[in-house]
Amino acid sequence: MVSLLLPIIYLAFISLGLPDALLGAAWPTMYPQLGAGVAWAGGVSMIISAGTIVSSLASERLNTRLGTGRVTALSVATTAVALFGFSTCTQFWQLCLWAIPYGLGAGSVDAALNNYVALHYESRHMSWLHCMWGIGAAGGPVIMGWALAGSTWQNGYRIISILQIVLTAVLIFSLPLWQTPTDAGAGEDFTPEHRTLPQLMKVPGVPEVMCCFALYSGVETVTGMWAASYCTLVRGLDAATAASWASLFYLGITVGRFLSGFLTMKFNDHQMIRMGQVLIAVGIALVFLPAGNTCLRAGLVTIGLGCAPIYPCIIHETPANFGKSLSMAMTGIQMAAAYTGTTLLSPLFGVLAQNITMQLYPWALLVMLLLMVVLSEQLHKKTAARRAKNS
């Protein structure tokens, strides 16, 4: 029975990805009916992000009290209720209210599952776990498209809500499995240690890893969010072609995480992170090259392939970097840092692009990448010193 746990965790991450792209897919149909403006979707996204930051910071306390299985079930149930609430909205302010429990539910389950896999499973499972998220994120707009073609956007949210409710039931029945995985790598017992955020910030490497997460999220969100605009405004592609080329970035991430699972059997987490950073640099170089749109298309895919191993591998090495007793607290603040980067850096680039030029797109990616490389190397040096001191 215990061997069933890993597929359930994979299923939970597919479910976690399903709602993430729904708002963007449905918004062109939603905003006229809700009496909203086109740009108001950014406000809903920021409310969701704020909720995920808060719940990520609280995840260590919740996990200590309830355990990973219960936190996961409760979070998915909260998300299911919020998604059903979305389907009942007739005015924009109602959407904003339901965005609060959606964000709170998403942050807790993300941190809890990432920490559980980092503690108990090998690195390949972390890569494949995030590959499952990519499958869910790609599947959500497909489901919404079916709903829009046959009925309304409300039914799209209801379908995803029902799927989340079914998963909640599966998680509740699976609670006895959340004990000791068969291929656990955690080994010895340990006692989770609670520290406040100011105390954690004094741990060597914590400021660096938080900045790394924020910058990585900036690279990912700026690349994905603004790729179509860059292709249209700078490279002169039509809107339909630009949108399809932007999706190649997400395809690169999903395929890259599937392949990364196999590569982690040969390379350690830090080597995988470095390889990812090199690939991002190659992808940015291809975007820069004035060699035609073929290089641009290849560059977007390559940036996606480079992004693929970084997030899951930094998460997976958290217990090794900071100790198992601090891993849950560290996972929570790392998730919060990632959501902060997502919330702030992409809109910041949008302001720069609007007021200066969209040609800054590859330059912004390059600056964030270089800062991330410097900080990740500093993180590696500090955590290696800590491990050497403790050994």
Side-chain angles (χ1 to χ4, degrees):
M1 283 275 301
V2 179
S3 61
L4 292 174
L5 181 59
L6 191 57
I8 290 172
I9 294 174
Y10 282 166
L11 185 63
F13 245 73
I14 292 175
S15 174
L16 185 63
L18 277 173
D20 280 5
L22 283 185
L23 184 64
W27 190 246
T29 305
M30 291 174 64
Y31 80 85
Q33 297 179 19
L34 297 174
V38 177
W40 292 14
V44 179
S45 296
M46 292 188 73
I47 293 170
I48 293 171
S49 295
T52 56
I53 292 169
V54 170
S55 60
S56 294
L57 293 174
S59 61
E60 186 264 338
R61 289 182 180 273
L62 283 172
N63 211 62
T64 300
R65 292 183 181 181
L66 302 176
T68 305
R70 291 185 179 87
V71 169
T72 302
L74 179 62
S75 298
V76 174
T78 303
T79 304
V81 171
L83 291 171
F84 187 82
F86 273 36
S87 73
T88 66
C89 293
T90 57
Q91 298 182 50
F92 179 75
W93 65 266
Q94 297 169 339
L95 201 67
C96 292
L97 286 181
W98 285 111
I100 297 172
Y102 172 59
L104 293 173
S108 294
V109 68
D110 199 1
L113 287 177
N114 273 295
N115 181 65
Y116 192 84
V117 174
L119 282 172
H120 297 296
Y121 291 101
E122 296 174 354
S123 184
R124 66 179 185 270
H125 293 299
M126 185 66 80
S127 292
W128 291 335
L129 186 74
H130 286 268
C131 178
M132 295 300 106
W133 174 88
I135 292 172
V142 173
I143 293 173
M144 180 59 74
W146 289 340
L148 290 173
S151 53
T152 63
W153 61 266
Q154 288 92 339
N155 280 340
Y157 274 106
R158 288 191 188 108
I159 291 169
I160 301 296
S161 174
I162 291 168
L163 292 175
Q164 300 274 25
I165 291 170
V166 172
L167 176 61
T168 300
V170 172
L171 288 168
I172 291 172
F173 284 111
S174 74
L175 287 177
L177 305 179
W178 294 82
Q179 303 299 326
T180 307
T182 51
D183 57 345
E188 70 279 3
D189 293 332
F190 62 93
T191 302
E193 182 180 348
H194 173 69
R195 296 190 192 181
T196 63
L197 182 58
Q199 290 172 332
L200 286 171
M201 292 299 294
K202 296 177 182 178
V203 176
V206 170
E208 287 83 358
V209 78
M210 290 182 70
C211 290
C212 281
F213 265 98
L215 288 165
Y216 166 79
S217 295
V219 171
E220 181 181 308
T221 54
V222 169
T223 304
M225 177 70 72
W226 299 103
S229 297
Y230 176 78
C231 290
T232 301
L233 299 176
V234 178
R235 294 302 188 92
L237 299 177
D238 63 89
T241 302
S244 65
W245 283 27
S247 68
L248 294 175
F249 166 69
Y250 294 104
L251 177 64
I253 290 182
T254 303
V255 173
R257 285 178 176 164
F258 175 75
L259 297 175
S260 293
F262 296 100
L263 290 174
T264 56
M265 300 177 193
K266 183 175 178 61
F267 302 100
N268 63 37
D269 288 325
H270 191 64
Q271 290 170 329
M272 293 293 298
I273 292 167
R274 283 175 169 169
M275 283 191 287
Q277 291 167 344
V278 169
L279 280 173
I280 293 174
V282 171
I284 293 172
L286 289 170
V287 174
F288 267 118
L289 285 177
N293 290 333
T294 300
C295 279
L296 172 60
R297 182 167 51 187
L300 292 173
V301 174
T302 305
I303 294 172
L305 291 171
C307 285
I310 295 176
Y311 192 102
C313 286
I314 297 179
I315 287 288
H316 187 264
E317 68 175 3
T318 298
N321 283 343
F322 302 102
K324 294 174 182 176
S325 61
L326 283 179
S327 65
M328 186 64 240
M330 282 304 308
T331 300
I333 68 169
Q334 288 173 163
M335 297 288 98
Y339 292 130
T340 301
T342 299
T343 305
L344 299 180
L345 293 178
S346 183
L348 174 61
F349 173 75
V351 172
L352 294 175
Q354 179 175 334
N355 290 282
I356 304 176
T357 173
M358 182 58 72
Q359 292 180 346
L360 290 173
Y361 177 71
W363 290 103
L365 297 178
L366 181 60
V367 169
M368 289 187 288
L369 173 64
L370 291 175
L371 290 173
M372 179 172 58
V373 169
V374 171
L375 289 165
S376 67
E377 291 303 314
Q378 290 180 356
L379 169 67
H380 181 64
K381 290 179 181 177
K382 289 185 177 182
T383 55
R386 184 195 68 81
R387 288 195 294 267
K389 182 179 179 180
N390 295 337
S391 61

